[in-house]
Amino acid sequence: MKIALAQLDYTIADINGNRTKIIAAIQEAKNNGAELIVFSELAVCGYPPDDLLDYPHFIEACNDSLKSIAAACDNITAIVGCPIVNEDEKGRRLYNSACVLSNGQLTQVVNKTLLPTYDVFSESRYFESNDEYKIVEVNNLKIALTICEDLWNEMDSFDYEYNPVQQLMVHQPNIIINISASPFNIGKHKARLNVLKRHAIASGLNLIYLNQTGVHTDLIFDGRSTVLNGNGEILMELSAFAEELSYYETNIDSNALSISEEENETEVTYEALVYGLKEYFNKMGFKKAVLGSSGGIDSAVVQALASAAIGAENVTAILMPSEFSTTGSVTDAEKLSIKLGNPYHILPIENIYQSFTNGLHPLFEGTAFNIAEENLQARSRAVLLMAISNKFGNILLNTSNKSEMSVGYTTLYGDMCGSLSVIGDVFKTKVYELAAYINRNDELIPNAIIQKAPSAELRHNQKDSDSLPEYPILDDILRQYVELQMSAENIIESGHDQAVVERVIRLVNNSEYKRFQAPPILRISNKSFGRGRIIPLVSKW
Amino acid sequence: MKIALAQLDYTIADINGNRTKIIAAIQEAKNNGAELIVFSELAVCGYPPDDLLDYPHFIEACNDSLKSIAAACDNITAIVGCPIVNEDEKGRRLYNSACVLSNGQLTQVVNKTLLPTYDVFSESRYFESNDEYKIVEVNNLKIALTICEDLWNEMDSFDYEYNPVQQLMVHQPNIIINISASPFNIGKHKARLNVLKRHAIASGLNLIYLNQTGVHTDLIFDGRSTVLNGNGEILMELSAFAEELSYYETNIDSNALSISEEENETEVTYEALVYGLKEYFNKMGFKKAVLGSSGGIDSAVVQALASAAIGAENVTAILMPSEFSTTGSVTDAEKLSIKLGNPYHILPIENIYQSFTNGLHPLFEGTAFNIAEENLQARSRAVLLMAISNKFGNILLNTSNKSEMSVGYTTLYGDMCGSLSVIGDVFKTKVYELAAYINRNDELIPNAIIQKAPSAELRHNQKDSDSLPEYPILDDILRQYVELQMSAENIIESGHDQAVVERVIRLVNNSEYKRFQAPPILRISNKSFGRGRIIPLVSKW
């Protein structure tokens, strides 16, 4: 049987647009002689639809759309993800379902059993869990049809009570199909292949894994849909970070591909972030970006990523020197914009800063220069950037990295502003690696920017290292505390100084209130700030 | 049997502080001859601990604390809420448990069955659900012990598969005890009493309901722990919005109290918001607040609420007139501060605004005054307020109401700034009712402020009604769309103009990006913006 794998990029809640895309793929697959076409999880509405699922008319619109899609299914069967109403009196009102469409009808519904509810996932918020295991039969092919998490019965932090694939095996299927909406993070590709192989080998069956692509604010979906044989060998792998419609023939013996499971971490981070930016702009209908270009490495890397994503001519750099800016910062930032080909403007903030300190003089008279004056500068810059954004429709990109976001070495309503945080999930040490990668063929980012000591330049001769440990130490502590949920005790045991560890943890805990108001962050790690990490603001931890 | 009801206010993650408070209550109850003392859900760590539950050393600290509490239990039994590790290989790693402590030991653990995962609740994110039903016996009293949601098997939007109380009834208990952490919203008291009565009447048993108090950022816990008899009559009700340690005697026939279930909505809103503010400041260790006082009703109401909560002398009002401010605005705001007894300062923003437009002149030359210049004013004010906050440690209060938060009639990084949004869950029409309530004995808020037409005063002769429908119409549409999840079609059927409804819904949907970066909002409705309403930013809805 010829099976079409439709790895597509849906827009959440664009039910008409998604339907058009799905029906076009069905037509193309039919023209190419496919008997079955497989779409990803919740394809009808896009994943994750979040609390739009609480709106009954959203669900009605999804189900109306499903009927139209079914009407396009003659001489082909489609498997499409859609939220379906639970008709029982008891239990949550919806299922996360794989719908089988053929002969113009919805012929079968398979519901998701394992509902991820951790990190960025909250499916138990909406869906009832499946508890009956049925096989789907398409033209004599017996399919063990599962949905995303249904394959992930064994987890790092806990195992589920059920193994849906095992339950389905008693019906002796010929193939396993999994429709998925599995977001990217570094290391996910390998983890995913391990899960797929485990099931393929345990069942001895071929396995088709179908993932979506696209970017849904913070979440980047990488695609890489895969077909494996019963030895766990990869027969087919679709593109990363791109739509693709491809075909797999069950009756033709395919050779196993030799695909490396190892990724170059820096390369894939670069690709994910460029894709993330590009897709965010596409989906929102935005064309142009603006950012503050400080002459530091963070804004330089974001400027280069944005130029790659939406075109250098669409990225405007604003240089906003103050009395504390070094001459080097301005000339380096100018060189960067010239090299990348970005329009740029120099708007000194001295007069603005002065007008604020004059205005505040009646209250501030006799007080010493402190964090208030430092933040005034960062916030004056944010006001300028937002004014430009409001006037010309350029979208402000946030340039904070994960290290400073972690310890609160940022100004709320200052450098924390922006529609999207591009590198808020990238530690400072990794920002350097990104810069080196960006410069791999050509010195796009001037070496002076990469080599200078990091500084916020909010007072004279300020250096990040005045207030923070050196970044390799800081980032290692942060990785252990934020991403691995380790205790101070264990981090100290791993070889870090006690006082430093305790101070860093205190800084992280005391900055929750800032992160609460941060922009959405493109997620590339398995523990990004944002929806995947919810910490009480009023607490003593 | 004399049972102590410990309705206390815990600080999340302050495991030592909570233990001290719990042990002090145990001592006092013992001294008063109680045989049993009941604490609320997750009392050991405070509710909701959110993702702190993902930190293994947090769980260890909770369980160490539980042991110390047990050690204080001689000649008394305590029921205390605590997260307990699930020792099974399968399932989530924790239970949300009611721990029975006596003779210095943890003698029994009852786990929560129904795990709320909707609106502000996300317990399935952390906890495994209980599936065995055991009775707790304390000095021959057979207790059907349940935890919060376990009583809420019948819901408005769905019913749970299980009814834990019914399961426990087969063991013929003598009493039902429910330990809870149930947040306040308008109407919740009545809904809660209905649930309690249903169980008391169905079982014919007395029911002790024990809730926590305190404010955990956005969530306000009102206490109002209750004892009912088997006829569903109220025998005892503890204070609202205050800690209390009281005693109930099972052997003494009590008379039913006649307590009104109806609340004065405006009065309870006022009490909840004052309590919310006061507790937020207490828990965070803050003393002083600052806010922008525009001469409008929103900031006036927040100023009055804050004065009631933390003392008038601790609330500093900053008046920041621009060329677009009417004289009345400044004099009204001055009168308000004088009447309330708040220190205030007038800091005109004209020079600051001018310095921004001068600085932006090279880019803005030839463009017309528009939203960019309007926002410049709102953001200049925010920068001044944050500078004062940073310099003197005053906490900035946000004064946006729910109507403007809904439709995005606010400036991000401008009037949307603040550590806490005080009236972000109060529609504008309700803000007027609050103002009337605040003025019930004395004209604290000058009538001129209440009577003037609402205006942002960001350009000449601006009125809210230029851009928005009249507030009674707007608020009714918003209530139906945001709180009741109704479709445009149904809202129009309820009697609203189609074009207005469609425009309002579009404004709500297009403002998700602003609300994403809003401060935490004191929650008083059953659908507040924030953690209880998660809507995709990148979507077409």
Side-chain angles (χ1 to χ4, degrees), chain A residues 76-216:
Chain A
I76 189 166
T77 298
I79 294 173
V80 183
C82 185
I84 295 286
V85 172
N86 171 11
E87 302 289 355
D88 282 357
E89 265 181 40
K90 301 275 180 180
R92 306 309 295 257
R93 295 264 53 86
L94 294 175
Y95 285 111
N96 179 344
S97 308
C99 299
V100 184
L101 312 174
S102 64
N103 296 319
Q105 302 289 327
L106 170 61
T107 55
Q108 201 173 336
V109 174
V110 169
N111 300 323
K112 190 172 184 176
T113 304
L114 306 184
L115 301 171
T117 304
Y118 53 80
D119 193 59
V120 298
F121 305 104
S122 43
E123 293 192 23
S124 299
R125 189 173 167 91
Y126 314 104
F127 299 116
E128 182 64 18
S129 179
N130 169 61
D131 61 3
E132 46 173 342
Y133 300 94
K134 300 167 295 183
I135 285 286
V136 170
E137 222 171 310
V138 176
N139 304 352
N140 298 320
L141 186 72
K142 289 169 74 179
I143 303 169
L145 181 56
T146 58
I147 304 171
C148 202
E149 192 85 349
D150 286 343
L151 296 186
W152 297 73
N153 57 302
E154 294 175 15
M155 304 282 289
D156 286 341
S157 54
F158 71 99
D159 289 348
Y160 285 101
E161 301 265 356
Y162 303 98
N163 179 349
V165 176
Q166 208 174 52
Q167 299 281 339
L168 288 165
M169 288 307 288
V170 299
H171 301 290
Q172 300 182 299
N174 314 121
I175 194 167
I176 300 170
I177 294 181
N178 182 270
I179 68 169
S180 209
S182 173
F184 166 81
N185 59 248
I186 292 165
K188 183 71 166 281
H189 185 229
K190 192 173 177 178
R192 218 186 259 153
L193 285 176
N194 284 341
V195 166
L196 301 180
K197 282 180 185 179
R198 179 167 57 78
H199 284 290
I201 293 168
S203 64
L205 297 178
N206 284 15
L207 189 158
I208 296 177
Y209 171 79
L210 198 289
N211 193 18
Q212 72 172 359
T213 59
V215 171
H216 301 284

Side-chain angles (χ1 to χ4, degrees), chain B residues 193-213:
Chain B
L193 284 176
N194 283 342
V195 167
L196 301 180
K197 282 179 185 181
R198 179 166 58 77
H199 284 291
I201 293 168
S203 65
L205 296 178
N206 284 14
L207 189 156
I208 296 177
Y209 172 79
L210 198 289
N211 193 17
Q212 71 172 1
T213 59

Side-chain angles (χ1 to χ4, degrees), chain B residues 347-365:
Chain B
L347 302 180
I349 63 161
E350 275 155 24
N351 292 338
I352 293 163
Y353 174 67
Q354 205 60 56
S355 74
F356 274 117
T357 53
N358 289 345
L360 287 160
H361 185 73
L363 277 80
F364 281 17
E365 196 180 357

Side-chain angles (χ1 to χ4, degrees), chain A residues 12-14 48-52 54-58 90-93 117-119 121 124-125 128 157-161 217 280 283-284 345 347 351-352 355-356 359-360 363-364 367-368 370 372-373 375-376 379-380 383-384 386-388 390-392 413 417-418 481-482 485-487 516-520 531-541, chain B residues 12-14 48-52 54-58 90-93 117-119 121 124-125 128 157-161 217 280 283-284 345 347 351-352 355-356 359-360 363-364 367-368 370 372-373 375-376 379-380 383-384 386-388 390-392 413 417-418 481-482 485-487 516-520 531-541:
Chain A
I12 292 171
D14 184 12
D50 296 334
D51 285 3
L52 294 176
D54 290 343
Y55 282 83
H57 61 291
F58 180 83
K90 301 275 180 180
R92 306 309 295 257
R93 295 264 53 86
T117 304
Y118 53 80
D119 193 59
F121 305 104
S124 299
R125 189 173 167 91
E128 182 64 18
S157 54
F158 71 99
D159 289 348
Y160 285 101
E161 301 265 356
T217 318
Y280 175 80
K283 284 238 168 93
M284 299 293 275
H345 304 278
L347 302 179
N351 292 339
I352 293 163
S355 74
F356 274 116
L360 287 160
L363 277 80
F364 282 17
T367 67
N370 71 356
E373 283 79 7
N375 285 341
L376 264 181
R379 293 191 180 116
S380 296
V383 174
L384 284 170
M386 286 304 296
I388 294 165
N390 288 155
K391 185 62 87 178
F392 303 111
Y413 318 130
C417 291
Y481 183 65
V482 175
Q485 282 104 25
M486 283 169 59
S487 66
F516 188 92
Q517 298 187 42
R531 71 163 89 197
R533 185 174 182 275
I534 303 158
I535 302 287
L537 301 195
V538 174
S539 79
K540 275 197 185 146
W541 181 231
Chain B
I12 292 170
D14 184 11
D50 295 334
D51 285 3
L52 294 175
D54 289 344
Y55 281 84
H57 61 292
F58 180 82
K90 301 277 180 177
R92 306 308 295 257
R93 294 265 51 83
T117 304
Y118 52 80
D119 193 57
F121 305 105
S124 299
R125 189 173 166 91
E128 182 64 19
S157 54
F158 71 100
D159 289 348
Y160 285 102
E161 300 266 355
T217 318
Y280 176 80
K283 284 240 168 91
M284 299 293 276
H345 304 278
L347 302 180
N351 292 338
I352 293 163
S355 74
F356 274 117
L360 287 160
L363 277 80
F364 281 17
T367 67
N370 71 354
E373 283 79 7
N375 285 341
L376 263 180
R379 293 193 179 114
S380 296
V383 174
L384 283 170
M386 286 304 296
I388 294 165
N390 287 156
K391 183 63 87 179
F392 303 111
Y413 318 131
C417 290
Y481 183 65
V482 175
Q485 282 105 26
M486 283 168 60
S487 65
F516 188 93
Q517 298 187 43
R531 71 163 88 197
R533 186 174 183 275
I534 303 158
I535 301 288
L537 300 195
V538 174
S539 78
K540 275 199 186 141
W541 181 229

Side-chain angles (χ1 to χ4, degrees), chain A residues 485-496:
Chain A
Q485 282 104 25
M486 283 169 59
S487 66
E489 201 178 352
N490 291 340
I491 300 170
I492 294 160
E493 274 167 19
S494 83
H496 289 287

